[in-house]
């Protein structure tokens, strides 16, 4: 300990991650991009895939399954995608499960430059193929680059008993993780006929000279205090 300086000990303390798991968000109501829990966060990059061009083509993401649904009587897009918040999502586009019970969206660090620190999507509807028409139970889970779980949102009841494009029941599910998000997965426990929308992901930017987070600052203070205590004893 006699040769270990205050600076070198602080560097060791800062080298390791303070939290390996992600912070899970949701389910929360969502009618437009303004309802995203990520709104207002400074990002180095941020993408929202609303499928309004009939494609999944935002950079650096692929889907395990599904297809785009075009506007129709039973399509349930995010409310604002048709230009107004009017209680109906039938005039927008969504990503449809197409007979599957689970959808995984995987991010590419190569194409994006770095994995996102924030990611989420909006569950919008379940159809008449569910166990109980218009109601669903879903889970949401996130994974790091090595496919280790960052956390999950336990089975959540969603839906309003209707499947004609109503939007009040739309819910956001998301995650944040400073270590990077490799993929996110949403699973329906009762249906293979359901939709999501507004897939979104971004890399949070940290301004130079930013004040350390409270947990980091507390550890640094404790470390410095410990060094001073040891020096008094040596």
């Amino acid at each position: 300990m006699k040769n270990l300086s205050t600076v070198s000990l602080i560097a060791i303390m800062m080298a390791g991650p303070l939290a390996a798991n992600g912070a899970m968000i949701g389910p929360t109501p969502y009618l437009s991009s303004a309802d995203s829990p990520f709104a207002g966060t400074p990002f180095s990059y941020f993408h929202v895939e609303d499928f309004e061009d009939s494609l999944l083509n935002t950079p650096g993401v692929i889907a395990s399954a599904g297809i785009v649904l075009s506007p129709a009587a039973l399509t349930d897009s995010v409310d604002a995608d048709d230009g107004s918040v009017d209680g109906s999502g039938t005039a927008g586009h969504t990503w449809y499960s197409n007979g599957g019970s689970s959808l995984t969206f995987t991010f590419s660090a190569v194409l994006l430059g770095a994995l996102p620190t924030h990611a989420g999507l909006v569950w919008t509807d379940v159809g008449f193929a569910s166990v109980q028409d218009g109601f669903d139970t879903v889970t949401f889970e996130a994974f790091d680059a090595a496919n280790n779980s960052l956390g999950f949102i336990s089975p959540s009841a969603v839906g309003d008993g209707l499947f004609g494009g109503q939007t009040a029941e739309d819910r956001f599910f998301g995650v944040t993780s400073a270590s990077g998000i490799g993929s996110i997965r949403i699973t329906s426990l009762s249906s293979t006929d359901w939709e999501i929308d507004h897939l979104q992901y971004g890399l949070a930017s940290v301004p130079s000279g930013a004040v350390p987070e409270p947990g980091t600052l507390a550890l640094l203070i404790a470390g410095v205090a410990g060094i001073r205590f040891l020096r008094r004893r040596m």
Side-chain angles (χ1 to χ4, degrees), residues 176-191:
T176 65
S177 175
S179 62
I181 302 160
S183 62
I184 56 175
R185 177 182 300 153
I186 187 166
T187 302
S188 169
L189 303 183
S190 60
S191 179

Side-chain angles (χ1 to χ4, degrees), residues 6-233:
T6 302
V7 173
S8 61
L9 182 56
I10 289 175
I12 292 171
M13 292 169 61
M14 294 184 68
L18 295 178
N21 294 332
M24 311 307 292
I25 305 169
T28 58
Y30 191 106
L31 297 177
S32 73
S33 294
D35 295 322
S36 172
F38 304 153
T41 301
F43 287 104
S44 296
Y45 69 75
F46 188 73
H47 304 289
V48 178
E49 178 57 271
D50 60 13
F51 311 106
E52 291 306 312
D53 60 357
S54 299
L55 297 169
L56 168 56
N57 59 0
T58 49
V61 62
I62 58 173
S64 62
I67 59 173
V68 174
L69 279 189
S70 298
L74 296 181
T75 299
D76 195 347
S77 175
V78 162
D79 198 329
D81 284 355
D82 61 3
S84 63
V85 177
D86 55 8
S88 175
T90 60
H93 296 67
T94 63
W95 191 256
Y96 176 54
S97 61
N98 197 33
S101 61
S102 183
L103 293 172
T104 301
F105 295 93
T106 302
F107 307 107
S108 169
V110 174
L111 295 178
L112 292 169
L115 288 176
T117 55
H118 294 57
L121 49 75
V122 181
W123 179 97
T124 61
D125 197 26
V126 63
F128 46 81
S130 62
V131 174
Q132 186 176 8
D133 292 353
F135 292 100
D136 199 1
T137 302
V138 301
T139 62
F140 177 87
E141 189 168 10
F143 304 88
D144 65 13
N147 207 36
N148 299 308
S149 180
L150 292 169
F152 65 93
I153 297 174
S154 57
S156 301
V158 288
D160 59 1
L162 303 171
F163 45 85
Q166 293 80 9
T167 59
E169 83 283 15
D170 295 358
R171 292 295 181 268
F172 175 91
F173 294 82
V175 60
T176 65
S177 175
S179 62
I181 302 160
S183 62
I184 56 175
R185 177 182 300 153
I186 187 166
T187 302
S188 169
L189 303 183
S190 60
S191 179
T192 58
D193 178 26
W194 48 285
E195 301 164 58
I196 66 97
D197 202 357
H198 277 219
L199 170 68
Q200 51 199 269
Y201 52 99
L203 175 66
S205 58
V206 180
S208 59
V211 177
E213 294 181 1
T216 306
L217 187 58
L219 284 175
L220 294 178
I221 293 172
V224 172
I227 292 171
R228 289 175 177 170
F229 174 77
L230 287 173
R231 284 180 170 173
R232 285 200 298 268
R233 291 177 60 87

